[in-house]
Amino acid sequence: MLAAVVLVSALIQAVTVLGDPVPESSVGFGRLVAASAAALVVALWITASTALDVVDGNIRGALARAWRRPRVLVWCVVSTLVAVALAILFPLLPIVVILVALLVLPAVADGQRHPFCAATATVRQSPGRCAVAAVVTIVAFVLAWVVALVLGFFVTGVVAAFLTWVWFGANAAVLLVYSSRLYRRVGSR
């Protein structure tokens, strides 16, 4: 399921660069940006919801459950907007949003009324594992951008876009499954 989400999202992202569009203030370019942003947020929403189901061993019906978790969508939209705003200030700042989102999204997907409290409890009860997760996330973030840069130089266009978004999506899926597993492990204590 997660692999399908990653591949479909990457395909949509690749289609948005067909014809090598030039950034301009036009309706057509605005639609491409909107399609790209929507694909990103929907993929994050489904991945965050499904990651918890993967950890619970409850894959059957995971997509239907994702649609019944609109709070996860809201959190994904807000997290994406904050990450974009921070990226405008400094390209490395989105990692802060990513680290927080990885802790909060499993609790939101689980229906916690106070996801920040649940995330804080996860950190408090398993600080070593959370520190390892943070370091792995930071390394994955930097590595993802290096891979994107290399692909942009050596493989261009639609193929580069597809491979870059497969890489980003796979990283997001692995990190969300790990953080969901950490959330469940701590919650069962």
Side-chain angles (χ1 to χ4, degrees):
M1 172 70 175
L2 289 175
V5 171
V6 169
L7 291 174
V8 168
S9 174
L11 186 60
I12 293 168
Q13 296 293 352
V15 167
T16 64
V17 299
L18 274 175
D20 199 19
V22 177
E24 59 186 12
S25 58
S26 69
V27 174
F29 187 75
R31 287 182 183 151
L32 291 175
V33 171
S36 177
L40 171 68
V41 170
V42 169
L44 182 58
W45 172 29
I46 295 170
T47 302
S49 293
T50 305
L52 191 63
D53 292 330
V54 167
V55 169
D56 291 344
N58 191 12
I59 301 301
R60 174 169 267 144
L63 184 59
R65 278 189 298 283
W67 294 112
R68 291 190 305 263
R69 293 173 173 156
R71 284 184 63 218
V72 177
L73 174 61
V74 171
W75 278 85
C76 290
V77 168
V78 171
S79 297
T80 301
L81 290 174
V82 172
V84 167
L86 290 176
I88 292 168
L89 296 174
F90 186 68
L92 297 178
L93 285 178
I95 192 64
V96 174
V97 177
I98 292 168
L99 290 169
V100 171
L102 285 171
L103 288 170
V104 172
L105 285 174
V108 175
D110 197 29
Q112 291 285 336
R113 291 181 50 92
H114 304 288
F116 279 113
C117 292
T120 303
T122 300
V123 173
R124 195 173 39 249
Q125 292 180 14
S126 192
R129 289 184 179 169
C130 287
V132 169
V135 169
V136 168
T137 301
I138 292 167
V139 169
F141 178 81
V142 171
L143 186 59
W145 287 109
V146 169
V147 167
L149 184 64
V150 169
L151 284 171
F153 279 124
F154 298 110
V155 182
T156 59
V158 175
V159 174
F162 178 77
L163 293 175
T164 298
W165 284 100
V166 166
W167 182 256
F168 286 169
N171 279 320
V174 168
L175 291 170
L176 279 163
V177 167
Y178 180 79
S179 63
S180 295
R181 184 169 286 128
L182 187 58
Y183 167 78
R184 277 292 188 237
R185 180 176 288 146
V186 168
S188 65
R189 287 184 181 175

